[in-house]
Amino acid sequence: MPAKAKYRKDYKKPDYTATDIFLDFQLDPQDTLVTATTTFQRLNQAASELRLDGHSFQFVSLKLNGEDFSRYQQDSESLVLDLSNVAGERFELTVQTRLKPAENTSLQGLYQSGDGFCTQCEAEGFRQITYMLDRPDVLARYTTKISADKTRYPYLLSNGNRIAAGELENGKHWVEWQDPFPKPSYLFALVAGDFDLLQDRFITKSGREVALELYVDKGSLDRADFAMQSLKKSMQWDEARFDLEYDLDIYMIVAVDFFNMGAMENKGLNVFNSKFVLANPATATDDDYLDVERVIAHEYFHNWTGNRVTCRDWFQLSLKEGLTVFRDQEFSSDTGSRSVNRINNVKLLRTVQFAEDAGPMAHPIRPEKVIEMNNFYTVTVYEKGAEVIRMLHTLLGEVRFQQGMKLYIAENDGKAATCEDFVSAMERASGVDLTIFRRWYSQSGTPELTVSDEYDERMHIYRLSVAQSTPPTHDQLDKINLHIPLKMELYDAQGHKLALQDENGPVSNVLDILHNQQVFEFHQVYSRPTPALLCDFSAPVKLDYDYSDAQLLLLLKHAQNDFIRWDAAQMLLANELRQNLHRRQNGDALQMNPMLLDTLRAILDNYQQDVELTALILTLPKETEFAEQFKVIDPSGIHAVRRFLQQNIAEHLKDLLLKIYHRIDLPNYRIAREDIALRSLRNCCLSYLAVTEFGNALVNTHYLHANNMTDTLAALAAATSAALPCRDGLLTDFEQKWAHDGLVMDKWFALQATRPDEDVLQNVKQLMDHPSFKFNNPNRLRALVGSFANHNPNAFHAIDGSGYRFLVEVLIKVNNSNPQIASRLIEPLIRLARYDAQRQTLMKRGLERLAKLENLSKDLFEKIEKALD
């Protein structure tokens, strides 16, 4: 320390590349021997030094072209070879290293997961296995031989196709794999262990048969079928929508318990966090099922957008992740509800990504500076990156977008590409000038659109004035205008949608916002309209338009765009929260707009017109969602006012809520869109009824009669949030039933961490000694500590600073064992600028304590440095 930053502008092509690698793994938890034989090719004839990345292993030996070689220097991060006396363009390097997988708690490189072995090499984990040019623009063909005890590790898996296998002495065996497609080191994978195996097949559109293999922990086979069906569904969709066909003879997925990320798209061998594979009605909620389908699809789609076409350097991460998130969002929208998926995507953006833009880690979707690459696997790179792709799709349309995709794939297949390569392909295929649009890749922050309007009653002209600006961010003070597609509609006083036209005739409902100030005129408008702005959330921006409550109520009742209806409800509820927070701070009585209550009643009464949308509209925003309405967040005030809104809505609608709750009857559990929607609405009704006089009996009965995890968890969540008398008994019953299952217990830990009780922190501390809690398991840490810090803001931001001190203590421990997880957990602590002076002081004190750690990881150093800057 201090850690050294890398800059995008400093990128240089490698002097050498690797063309072929033969890896020999002799697996043992305490002593794994790795022999890597790599063929290198000199690209720069003037180069005489080869720097290989590597650390966290025992270096054994080095041979060059089969002979001992000693002209090298080592440091803690690399091996530098002096090749000034080595003739020829190609040479072979053989490196032996020893690893201790059982002691590798970072869960990067090769590590032990349960009783098996697993690797995680993205972004820079391969260098923890052997010395290598560990960079994404070095693509080589990998052959991997794995040897291990046959009884303990009957399955030995790696990338590509199985080409050989055999028996060894002392009860060992070996398997050899070969991947015919060149790939960067981050896509290498190895898994070894004893699993239950689910097998299937997929016939591609060209008639090729692909073997599908899904490996899960012993005893979990009954929870694997949905993931397999999701994989086949994804493969079929990618052929139909993007004309992309799978290319290997086998596709494997392995579910492991210890994993820092959600999943990893290693070529032909995807490694998954069990959370995103295992699902049956008893253990998984509807949301879990949808997450399994989404993540399975995401990793499969990477085969072309990430694997066959990869990134030139890690600054280009959004090239594969933003594009693939867009693709998995489109998959979910095409196969499910487009409006529900869009709304859920926007909620994540507004709550998490906008907060990231406003915090110390603000960065463009293509960052310019990186200290620790793992810190840039962010919602900005992924989710905002997907929004940038979506804007391109909006501007170009499906046909031209697909033409651009085909050109991009054709030009870059088997290569390491850049974001510019993608935009250029879109531009050339469509003929649309994207010069200004490119700025989205290099500018950080959340743009703001300030919109005003005027109506010329005599000329029947409606004018919309749009100004764009982007506030300064931690990393960039100066901003320039962007190309923003603003999708809009106009409604008359009766709620009828108007045709859009200017003086020359019909016009598009997508306005191109290119300049700081623009005015758009709409003709033949015979009364002052209400604008529906940002339909489908056509750009990741904040909107400032002075809607009246009457206009919002009109849009909520009549807008044809589902997102606009939902967003109108969000704005109305946000207005109620802001006004009541002001009343609370002034000591005035809280109150709620009766017209809003009447409108919510009317929507609920007509729920059968659109069950999915009704459930979304009626779902009260979380405290963290409301918090994004404020520059300075008052966590205790938001908590109190949100509870008032919940109780007020429940009291005014309880007769109708109870009627609909009992009307919806789903005796059999199905993962079907219509059933998911009905369960969602019924459980929304339950959450409101929980705070009425019906709450305790109704929630208790709901839990006892639940025949699926969705309903079980809905009862537990309602009992926990409302602090009902039945709560502790239900939580104890759940614990006794599921103490053996870590993934299910994660739901229990998360509920315990989000209790509204004053002593919740003491409860969280005690649960860290619970038999089901494992400190070195990322899922358990996220469920308990992450839920407390991120989803219980009233308790975490307690004015005495106890929540901050607790998190700092946890981070000190995790910094030593798993820096990547520590870096994820610290997020709510580094956003201190959003809080009052007293809380800021306490948060700063915690960060300063962490900054003084002698062994502070790069992962935490980067975030703490920026937060304290």
Side-chain angles (χ1 to χ4, degrees), residues 467-651:
Q468 66 160 299
S469 62
T470 303
T473 52
H474 190 273
D475 63 323
Q476 286 178 345
L477 295 179
D478 298 323
K479 307 293 183 180
I480 53 178
N481 55 293
L482 302 168
H483 186 171
I484 301 172
L486 175 59
K487 192 174 180 181
M488 51 86 67
E489 296 170 346
L490 295 179
Y491 290 86
D492 67 16
Q494 288 72 46
H496 300 127
K497 190 168 80 167
L498 304 178
L500 301 182
Q501 49 190 333
D502 60 15
E503 70 273 19
N504 299 315
V507 294
S508 169
N509 72 329
V510 178
L511 309 181
D512 285 307
I513 311 302
L514 296 161
H515 308 292
N516 292 335
Q517 298 273 350
Q518 287 175 255
V519 178
F520 300 88
E521 285 193 353
F522 301 94
H523 290 238
Q524 299 184 38
V525 179
Y526 297 105
S527 62
R528 186 179 187 90
T530 291
L533 301 170
L534 217 58
C535 295
D536 297 320
F537 202 65
S538 58
V541 302
K542 292 183 177 180
L543 178 68
D544 180 9
Y545 174 79
D546 191 16
Y547 279 112
S548 66
D549 282 358
Q551 287 178 306
L552 290 173
L553 288 167
L554 181 140
L555 293 175
L556 177 54
K557 292 176 185 177
H558 300 293
Q560 294 181 20
N561 187 274
D562 287 346
F563 171 80
I564 291 294
R565 290 190 65 200
W566 171 81
D567 202 31
Q570 297 291 292
M571 285 189 270
L572 285 162
L573 290 167
N575 289 343
E576 292 294 316
L577 184 120
R578 275 194 300 271
Q579 292 164 10
N580 280 298
L581 190 57
H582 183 70
R583 293 183 185 113
R584 181 178 186 272
Q585 291 164 348
N586 289 339
D588 299 331
L590 308 188
Q591 60 189 59
M592 196 166 178
N593 183 350
M595 291 181 66
L596 173 57
L597 292 169
D598 289 345
T599 302
L600 292 177
R601 172 177 286 277
I603 290 170
L604 185 60
D605 201 24
N606 293 284
Y607 75 91
Q608 289 169 317
Q609 293 181 3
D610 193 329
V611 180
E612 294 169 314
L613 188 60
T614 299
L616 284 167
I617 289 173
L618 266 291
T619 299
L620 197 61
K622 298 175 183 177
E623 291 173 32
T624 49
E625 293 176 65
F626 276 135
E628 286 309 302
Q629 304 290 324
F630 303 94
K631 289 186 177 180
V632 177
I633 299 170
D634 176 1
S636 56
I638 291 172
H639 176 75
V641 174
R642 184 188 182 277
R643 180 55 60 95
F644 165 79
L645 296 179
Q646 181 187 30
Q647 292 171 335
N648 219 264
I649 293 171
E651 192 61 35

Side-chain angles (χ1 to χ4, degrees), residues 386-442:
E387 292 301 303
V388 171
I389 304 297
R390 185 170 299 281
M391 286 188 289
L392 273 174
H393 187 273
T394 299
L395 292 169
L396 305 183
E398 172 72 2
V399 172
R400 290 190 296 184
F401 182 86
Q402 290 293 355
Q403 290 170 344
M405 279 293 300
K406 287 183 183 299
L407 181 60
Y408 167 67
I409 296 290
E411 290 182 339
N412 296 287
D413 187 11
K415 299 178 183 177
T418 66
C419 295
E420 174 56 31
D421 292 328
F422 179 80
V423 178
S424 173
M426 287 288 164
E427 190 171 51
R428 286 178 286 120
S430 67
V432 175
D433 184 356
L434 298 173
T435 302
I436 298 177
F437 186 84
R438 283 172 168 81
R439 296 173 183 174
W440 281 100
Y441 284 88
S442 56

Side-chain angles (χ1 to χ4, degrees), residues 817-840:
S817 60
N818 192 331
Q820 192 176 144
I821 295 302
S823 181
R824 301 281 191 271
L825 291 175
I826 200 175
E827 279 295 316
L829 195 61
I830 65 173
R831 293 173 184 163
L832 63 164
R834 300 288 300 280
Y835 295 90
D836 58 83
Q838 184 173 346
R839 288 185 171 91
Q840 280 193 40

Side-chain angles (χ1 to χ4, degrees), residues 15 52 70 88 115 182 293 480 523 790 836:
D15 290 334
L52 301 176
S70 59
D115 295 326
E293 184 178 73
I480 53 178
H523 290 238
N790 289 289
D836 58 83

